[in-house]
Protein backbone atom coordinates (compact mmCIF):
# COMPACT_ATOMS: atom_id res chain seq x y z
CA UNK A 1 0.00 0.00 0.00
CA UNK A 2 1.35 3.43 -0.96
CA UNK A 3 1.96 5.93 1.83
CA UNK A 4 -0.87 8.47 2.31
CA UNK A 5 1.49 11.34 1.41
CA UNK A 6 1.72 9.93 -2.12
CA UNK A 7 -1.89 10.93 -2.74
CA UNK A 8 -1.91 14.26 -0.94
CA UNK A 9 -2.09 17.14 -3.45
CA UNK A 10 -2.16 14.58 -6.27
CA UNK A 11 -5.73 15.56 -7.14
CA UNK A 12 -6.26 15.57 -10.92
CA UNK A 13 -9.85 16.71 -11.22
CA UNK A 14 -10.60 15.73 -14.84
CA UNK A 15 -9.41 12.14 -14.34
CA UNK A 16 -11.11 11.83 -10.97
CA UNK A 17 -14.45 13.23 -12.11
CA UNK A 18 -14.47 10.91 -15.11
CA UNK A 19 -14.10 8.01 -12.67
CA UNK A 20 -17.09 9.29 -10.67
CA UNK A 21 -19.38 8.48 -13.60
CA UNK A 22 -17.93 5.21 -14.88
CA UNK A 23 -16.34 3.27 -12.00
CA UNK A 24 -18.34 1.29 -9.45
CA UNK A 25 -15.82 2.21 -6.73
CA UNK A 26 -13.40 5.15 -6.75
CA UNK A 27 -11.17 6.23 -3.83
CA UNK A 28 -9.22 9.49 -3.53
CA UNK A 29 -7.12 11.28 -0.94
CA UNK A 30 -6.48 14.99 -1.28
CA UNK A 31 -5.99 18.28 0.47
CA UNK A 32 -5.01 21.92 0.19
CA UNK A 33 -6.73 22.50 -3.14
CA UNK A 34 -8.96 25.43 -4.04
CA UNK A 35 -12.65 25.47 -3.10
CA UNK A 36 -15.08 24.44 -5.81
CA UNK A 37 -16.95 27.52 -6.99
CA UNK A 38 -18.77 25.77 -9.84
CA UNK A 39 -21.54 23.38 -8.90
CA UNK A 40 -20.75 19.68 -9.30
CA UNK A 41 -23.06 16.77 -10.06
CA UNK A 42 -22.31 13.15 -10.88
CA UNK A 43 -24.09 9.82 -11.15
CA UNK A 44 -22.34 8.24 -8.19
CA UNK A 45 -22.89 8.68 -4.48
CA UNK A 46 -19.94 10.54 -2.93
CA UNK A 47 -18.82 10.01 0.67
CA UNK A 48 -16.25 12.32 2.25
CA UNK A 49 -14.15 11.38 5.29
CA UNK A 50 -12.56 14.48 6.81
CA UNK A 51 -9.18 13.82 8.38
CA UNK A 52 -8.23 17.42 9.19
CA UNK A 53 -9.64 20.94 8.84
CA UNK A 54 -13.18 22.22 8.38
CA UNK A 55 -15.39 23.13 5.45
CA UNK A 56 -18.92 24.10 4.46
CA UNK A 57 -20.63 22.04 1.77
CA UNK A 58 -23.73 23.28 0.01
CA UNK A 59 -25.73 20.28 -1.21
CA UNK A 60 -28.72 21.38 -3.26
CA UNK A 61 -29.98 24.27 -1.10
CA UNK A 62 -28.73 23.08 2.31
CA UNK A 63 -25.36 23.86 3.94
CA UNK A 64 -23.52 21.16 5.91
CA UNK A 65 -20.59 21.75 8.24
CA UNK A 66 -17.78 19.17 8.31
CA UNK A 67 -14.80 18.90 10.64
CA UNK A 68 -12.25 16.34 11.78
CA UNK A 69 -13.62 12.76 12.02
CA UNK A 70 -16.75 13.72 10.07
CA UNK A 71 -18.37 11.72 7.28
CA UNK A 72 -20.54 13.52 4.74
CA UNK A 73 -22.77 11.67 2.26
CA UNK A 74 -23.71 13.35 -1.03
CA UNK A 75 -26.42 11.50 -2.94
CA UNK A 76 -26.08 10.71 -6.64
CA UNK A 77 -27.16 13.61 -8.93
CA UNK A 78 -27.31 16.07 -6.01
CA UNK A 79 -25.75 19.45 -6.80
CA UNK A 80 -22.89 20.46 -4.49
CA UNK A 81 -19.96 22.80 -3.95
CA UNK A 82 -17.72 23.60 -0.98
CA UNK A 83 -15.75 26.29 0.82
CA UNK A 84 -12.91 25.80 3.33
CA UNK A 85 -13.22 27.37 6.76
CA UNK A 86 -10.16 25.87 8.50
CA UNK A 87 -6.93 24.88 6.73
CA UNK A 88 -5.26 22.56 6.02
CA UNK A 89 -8.33 20.68 4.83
CA UNK A 90 -7.59 17.02 4.10
CA UNK A 91 -10.15 14.39 3.22
CA UNK A 92 -10.62 10.95 1.76
CA UNK A 93 -13.27 10.52 -0.90
CA UNK A 94 -15.23 7.44 -1.92
CA UNK A 95 -17.71 7.31 -4.80
CA UNK A 96 -20.05 4.37 -5.38
CA UNK A 97 -22.38 3.80 -8.32
CA UNK A 98 -25.99 3.16 -7.20
CA UNK A 99 -26.35 0.22 -9.62
CA UNK A 100 -23.36 -1.45 -7.97
CA UNK A 101 -24.77 -0.84 -4.48
CA UNK A 102 -28.15 -2.25 -5.48
CA UNK A 103 -26.47 -5.45 -6.67
CA UNK A 104 -25.01 -6.24 -3.22
CA UNK A 105 -26.73 -8.34 -0.55
CA UNK A 106 -27.53 -6.35 2.60
CA UNK A 107 -26.60 -3.06 0.92
CA UNK A 108 -29.64 -3.05 -1.39
CA UNK A 109 -31.88 -2.77 1.68
CA UNK A 110 -30.02 0.31 2.88
CA UNK A 111 -29.95 2.50 -0.23
CA UNK A 112 -31.33 5.27 1.99
CA UNK A 113 -27.88 5.36 3.64
CA UNK A 114 -26.43 6.52 0.32
CA UNK A 115 -28.71 9.52 -0.11
CA UNK A 116 -27.95 13.06 1.02
CA UNK A 117 -29.03 13.01 4.64
CA UNK A 118 -31.21 15.52 6.42
CA UNK A 119 -29.24 17.98 8.59
CA UNK A 120 -30.46 16.06 11.66
CA UNK A 121 -29.17 12.74 10.32
CA UNK A 122 -25.96 14.27 8.97
CA UNK A 123 -25.18 15.53 12.50
CA UNK A 124 -24.90 11.87 13.61
CA UNK A 125 -21.80 11.57 11.39
CA UNK A 126 -20.03 14.67 12.75
CA UNK A 127 -17.00 14.19 15.04
CA UNK A 128 -17.27 10.40 15.16
CA UNK A 129 -15.43 8.36 17.76
CA UNK A 130 -11.85 7.96 16.58
CA UNK A 131 -12.04 4.14 16.59
CA UNK A 132 -15.12 4.16 14.30
CA UNK A 133 -13.65 6.76 11.94
CA UNK A 134 -10.32 4.94 11.70
CA UNK A 135 -12.07 1.65 10.93
CA UNK A 136 -13.79 3.39 8.01
CA UNK A 137 -10.46 4.75 6.79
CA UNK A 138 -8.95 1.27 7.00
CA UNK A 139 -11.80 0.01 4.78
CA UNK A 140 -10.93 2.72 2.23
CA UNK A 141 -7.28 1.67 2.09
CA UNK A 142 -8.27 -1.97 1.75
CA UNK A 143 -10.63 -1.01 -1.08
CA UNK A 144 -7.79 0.91 -2.78
CA UNK A 145 -5.51 -2.12 -2.50
CA UNK A 146 -8.17 -4.32 -4.12
CA UNK A 147 -8.72 -1.78 -6.90
CA UNK A 148 -5.00 -1.45 -7.58
CA UNK A 149 -4.73 -5.22 -7.85
CA UNK A 150 -7.33 -5.10 -10.62
CA UNK A 151 -10.08 -6.76 -8.58
CA UNK A 152 -12.78 -4.08 -8.77
CA UNK A 153 -15.68 -6.54 -8.62
CA UNK A 154 -14.02 -9.03 -6.31
CA UNK A 155 -15.73 -10.67 -3.35
CA UNK A 156 -13.42 -8.64 -1.08
CA UNK A 157 -14.57 -5.33 -2.61
CA UNK A 158 -18.19 -6.35 -2.06
CA UNK A 159 -17.49 -7.45 1.51
CA UNK A 160 -15.73 -4.17 2.33
CA UNK A 161 -18.57 -2.06 0.93
CA UNK A 162 -21.06 -4.12 2.93
CA UNK A 163 -19.02 -3.59 6.11
CA UNK A 164 -18.90 0.16 5.48
CA UNK A 165 -22.67 0.15 4.92
CA UNK A 166 -23.24 -1.57 8.26
CA UNK A 167 -21.03 0.97 10.06
CA UNK A 168 -22.86 3.89 8.44
CA UNK A 169 -26.37 2.53 9.03
CA UNK A 170 -25.54 1.95 12.71
CA UNK A 171 -24.38 5.53 13.11
CA UNK A 172 -27.47 6.79 11.27
CA UNK A 173 -29.72 4.36 13.20
CA UNK A 174 -31.48 3.21 10.03
CA UNK A 175 -33.57 0.09 9.53
CA UNK A 176 -33.54 -2.07 6.41
CA UNK A 177 -36.28 -1.31 3.87
CA UNK A 178 -35.72 -4.44 1.79
CA UNK A 179 -38.75 -6.36 3.07
CA UNK A 180 -41.14 -3.64 1.89
CA UNK A 181 -42.87 -4.39 -1.42
CA UNK A 182 -43.20 -0.66 -2.06
CA UNK A 183 -39.47 -0.18 -1.52
CA UNK A 184 -38.60 -2.95 -3.97
CA UNK A 185 -40.90 -1.52 -6.64
CA UNK A 186 -39.58 2.04 -6.21
CA UNK A 187 -35.99 0.79 -6.13
CA UNK A 188 -36.55 -0.90 -9.49
CA UNK A 189 -38.25 2.20 -10.85
CA UNK A 190 -35.41 4.45 -9.71
CA UNK A 191 -32.86 2.14 -11.34
CA UNK A 192 -34.92 2.23 -14.55
CA UNK A 193 -34.83 6.04 -14.54
CA UNK A 194 -31.07 6.03 -13.90
CA UNK A 195 -30.41 3.80 -16.91
CA UNK A 196 -33.16 4.91 -19.35
CA UNK A 197 -33.05 8.68 -18.78
CA UNK A 198 -32.88 9.37 -22.54
CA UNK A 199 -36.22 7.63 -23.15
CA UNK A 200 -39.87 8.57 -22.54
CA UNK A 201 -40.21 8.75 -18.75
CA UNK A 202 -43.65 10.27 -18.57
CA UNK A 203 -45.81 9.00 -15.73
CA UNK A 204 -48.18 7.42 -18.24
CA UNK A 205 -45.34 5.43 -19.81
CA UNK A 206 -43.84 4.42 -16.47
CA UNK A 207 -47.32 3.34 -15.41
CA UNK A 208 -47.49 0.93 -18.36
CA UNK A 209 -44.00 -0.44 -17.72
CA UNK A 210 -44.45 -1.04 -13.97
CA UNK A 211 -48.20 -1.78 -13.92
CA UNK A 212 -48.85 0.97 -11.37
CA UNK A 213 -51.20 3.95 -11.44
CA UNK A 214 -49.45 7.31 -12.11
CA UNK A 215 -50.69 8.66 -8.78
CA UNK A 216 -49.34 5.62 -6.95
CA UNK A 217 -45.94 6.05 -8.59
CA UNK A 218 -45.75 9.73 -7.59
CA UNK A 219 -46.84 9.06 -4.02
CA UNK A 220 -44.63 6.03 -3.41
CA UNK A 221 -41.54 7.49 -5.07
CA UNK A 222 -41.69 10.54 -2.81
CA UNK A 223 -42.37 8.33 0.21
CA UNK A 224 -39.31 6.11 -0.39
CA UNK A 225 -36.82 8.57 -1.87
CA UNK A 226 -38.05 11.86 -0.46
CA UNK A 227 -38.08 13.44 -3.92
CA UNK A 228 -40.65 14.44 -6.50
CA UNK A 229 -40.28 11.93 -9.35
CA UNK A 230 -40.34 14.53 -12.13
CA UNK A 231 -37.65 16.56 -10.38
CA UNK A 232 -35.60 13.42 -9.98
CA UNK A 233 -35.91 12.57 -13.69
CA UNK A 234 -34.74 16.06 -14.60
CA UNK A 235 -31.89 15.78 -12.09
CA UNK A 236 -30.66 12.54 -13.68
CA UNK A 237 -30.90 13.99 -17.17
CA UNK A 238 -29.01 17.18 -16.29
CA UNK A 239 -26.36 15.22 -14.41
CA UNK A 240 -25.71 13.18 -17.53
CA UNK A 241 -25.70 16.34 -19.63
CA UNK A 242 -22.95 17.72 -17.38
CA UNK A 243 -21.02 14.45 -17.76
CA UNK A 244 -21.19 14.75 -21.54
CA UNK A 245 -20.29 18.46 -21.49
CA UNK A 246 -17.17 17.66 -19.46
CA UNK A 247 -15.72 15.54 -22.26
CA UNK A 248 -17.41 16.64 -25.51
CA UNK A 249 -17.93 19.68 -27.74
CA UNK A 250 -21.39 18.48 -28.76
CA UNK A 251 -23.93 21.15 -29.70
CA UNK A 252 -26.54 22.12 -27.12
CA UNK A 253 -29.39 20.92 -29.36
CA UNK A 254 -27.77 17.50 -29.79
CA UNK A 255 -27.04 17.36 -26.07
CA UNK A 256 -30.66 18.06 -25.16
CA UNK A 257 -31.85 15.22 -27.41
CA UNK A 258 -29.18 12.86 -26.10
CA UNK A 259 -30.38 13.17 -22.50
CA UNK A 260 -34.08 12.87 -23.24
CA UNK A 261 -35.44 16.37 -23.97
CA UNK A 262 -37.57 16.93 -27.05
CA UNK A 263 -37.62 20.69 -26.47
CA UNK A 264 -34.25 22.47 -26.21
CA UNK A 265 -35.81 25.38 -24.27
CA UNK A 266 -37.04 22.96 -21.60
CA UNK A 267 -33.51 21.55 -21.40
CA UNK A 268 -31.98 25.02 -21.02
CA UNK A 269 -34.46 25.93 -18.28
CA UNK A 270 -33.82 22.70 -16.37
CA UNK A 271 -30.05 23.01 -16.73
CA UNK A 272 -30.04 26.58 -15.41
CA UNK A 273 -32.29 25.56 -12.51
CA UNK A 274 -29.98 22.69 -11.56
CA UNK A 275 -26.54 24.24 -12.19
CA UNK A 276 -27.22 27.99 -11.77
CA UNK A 277 -25.57 28.63 -15.17
CA UNK A 278 -26.41 27.86 -18.80
CA UNK A 279 -24.74 24.88 -20.54
CA UNK A 280 -22.43 27.22 -22.50
CA UNK A 281 -21.47 29.13 -19.35
CA UNK A 282 -20.82 25.85 -17.56
CA UNK A 283 -18.59 24.62 -20.41
CA UNK A 284 -16.56 27.86 -20.39
CA UNK A 285 -16.13 27.95 -16.60
CA UNK A 286 -15.27 24.26 -16.51
CA UNK A 287 -12.53 24.75 -19.11
CA UNK A 288 -11.13 27.69 -17.13
CA UNK A 289 -11.17 25.61 -13.93
CA UNK A 290 -9.34 22.76 -15.68
CA UNK A 291 -6.68 25.14 -16.95
CA UNK A 292 -6.10 26.44 -13.43
CA UNK A 293 -6.01 22.89 -12.09
CA UNK A 294 -3.49 21.85 -14.75
CA UNK A 295 -1.24 24.82 -13.92
CA UNK A 296 -1.30 23.94 -10.21
CA UNK A 297 -0.58 20.29 -10.97
CA UNK A 298 2.45 21.19 -13.09
CA UNK A 299 3.73 23.48 -10.33
CA UNK A 300 3.21 20.70 -7.77
CA UNK A 301 5.13 18.24 -9.93
CA UNK A 302 7.96 20.72 -10.30
CA UNK A 303 8.04 21.23 -6.51
CA UNK A 304 8.22 17.43 -6.06
CA UNK A 305 11.15 17.28 -8.48
CA UNK A 306 9.39 15.09 -11.03
CA UNK A 307 11.20 14.94 -14.35
CA UNK A 308 8.03 15.05 -16.45
CA UNK A 309 6.48 18.06 -14.72
CA UNK A 310 6.22 19.99 -18.02
CA UNK A 311 4.07 17.33 -19.67
Amino acid sequence: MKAPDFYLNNYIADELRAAFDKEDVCISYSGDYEPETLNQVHNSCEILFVEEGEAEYQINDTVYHVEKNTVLIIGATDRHKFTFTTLPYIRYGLTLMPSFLQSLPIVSGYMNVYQTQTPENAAKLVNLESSVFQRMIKILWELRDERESGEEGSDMVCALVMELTILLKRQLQMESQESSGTYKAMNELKHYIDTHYQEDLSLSNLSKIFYLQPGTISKNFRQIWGKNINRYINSVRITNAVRILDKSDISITELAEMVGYENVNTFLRQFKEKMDVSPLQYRKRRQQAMERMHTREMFSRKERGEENWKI
Side-chain angles (χ1 to χ4, degrees):
M1 182 173 68
K2 294 181 176 66
D5 286 348
F6 176 84
Y7 299 100
L8 191 60
N9 295 318
N10 194 22
Y11 186 87
I12 305 175
D14 51 353
E15 293 180 8
L16 194 59
R17 288 193 189 182
F20 287 176
D21 282 306
K22 68 180 182 181
E23 296 184 12
D24 287 341
V25 180
C26 178
I27 306 100
S28 60
Y29 181 63
S30 60
D32 294 333
Y33 53 92
E34 291 184 1
E36 182 65 63
T37 56
L38 190 61
N39 283 314
Q40 300 182 38
V41 290
H42 38 76
N43 286 311
S44 56
C45 166
E46 183 173 10
I47 311 175
L48 303 172
F49 303 80
V50 182
E51 186 176 66
E52 187 173 352
E54 298 182 31
E56 303 287 342
Y57 279 77
Q58 181 178 331
I59 307 176
N60 296 324
D61 297 319
T62 304
V63 176
Y64 296 79
H65 174 76
V66 297
E67 58 189 58
K68 183 176 181 179
N69 287 8
T70 291
V71 176
L72 180 68
I73 301 169
I74 303 173
T77 79
D78 282 346
R79 180 189 68 210
H80 55 283
K81 60 182 178 180
F82 55 84
T83 303
F84 304 134
T85 53
T86 302
L87 296 175
Y89 176 72
I90 303 171
R91 97 309 181 247
Y92 294 83
L94 170 66
T95 60
L96 299 161
M97 291 298 289
S99 57
F100 170 67
L101 293 170
Q102 289 170 323
S103 72
L104 300 180
I106 301 176
V107 178
S108 61
Y110 289 100
M111 292 301 292
N112 49 350
V113 167
Y114 294 102
Q115 299 178 58
T116 299
Q117 302 298 310
T118 64
E120 293 75 20
N121 267 0
K124 299 174 184 177
L125 298 176
V126 175
N127 194 21
L128 294 173
E129 291 184 12
S130 182
S131 59
V132 174
F133 186 81
Q134 290 304 316
R135 177 54 196 151
M136 292 180 181
I137 299 305
K138 187 173 186 294
I139 290 172
L140 295 185
W141 282 104
E142 290 173 359
L143 278 171
R144 180 180 281 278
D145 284 349
E146 288 293 311
R147 290 296 316 286
E148 290 185 344
S149 69
E151 298 294 330
E152 179 175 340
S154 71
D155 290 343
M156 182 57 72
V157 168
C158 296
L160 289 167
V161 173
M162 284 190 281
E163 182 181 357
L164 179 62
T165 302
I166 292 170
L167 289 173
L168 289 171
K169 71 99 174 174
R170 285 179 177 173
Q171 293 296 317
L172 293 168
Q173 301 171 351
M174 288 183 170
E175 299 294 330
S176 174
Q177 295 179 295
E178 196 165 28
S179 60
S180 164
T182 299
Y183 175 79
K184 290 180 180 179
M186 292 303 103
N187 203 11
E188 290 177 8
L189 191 147
K190 180 176 177 294
H191 179 66
Y192 185 87
I193 293 170
D194 291 344
T195 53
H196 295 79
Y197 58 86
Q198 68 273 47
E199 301 175 9
D200 178 6
L201 295 178
S202 63
L203 279 177
S204 60
N205 198 43
L206 291 174
S207 176
K208 295 174 184 177
I209 294 170
F210 288 91
Y211 302 101
L212 293 169
Q213 291 296 322
T216 300
I217 290 175
S218 295
K219 176 185 175 182
N220 290 348
F221 193 91
R222 180 182 287 277
Q223 176 188 336
I224 296 299
W225 302 114
K227 298 178 179 180
N228 174 281
I229 187 169
N230 288 323
R231 288 183 64 86
Y232 182 73
I233 291 168
N234 282 313
S235 181
V236 171
R237 286 174 167 167
I238 298 305
T239 296
N240 282 282
V242 169
R243 173 181 59 81
I244 296 168
L245 273 176
D246 282 347
K247 62 180 182 180
S248 170
D249 292 328
I250 188 173
S251 74
I252 301 305
T253 300
E254 289 176 301
L255 179 60
E257 294 176 355
M258 187 176 291
V259 297
Y261 288 97
E262 295 181 359
N263 186 305
V264 69
N265 289 327
T266 301
F267 168 68
L268 292 172
R269 184 175 67 253
Q270 293 295 337
F271 194 101
K272 182 69 178 292
E273 181 179 321
K274 177 79 171 176
M275 303 302 295
D276 292 335
V277 293
S278 72
L280 290 178
Q281 289 172 325
Y282 175 85
R283 176 180 278 163
K284 181 178 179 180
R285 294 184 187 183
R286 177 87 174 104
Q287 290 171 344
Q288 292 172 341
M290 288 300 95
E291 289 171 2
R292 292 195 300 271
M293 183 69 71
H294 182 73
T295 300
R296 290 198 302 274
E297 175 63 17
M298 295 305 99
F299 179 77
S300 179
R301 289 183 181 182
K302 181 180 179 181
E303 289 291 295
R304 296 197 297 265
E306 296 181 13
E307 294 182 2
N308 65 340
W309 63 271
K310 293 183 179 180
I311 296 176

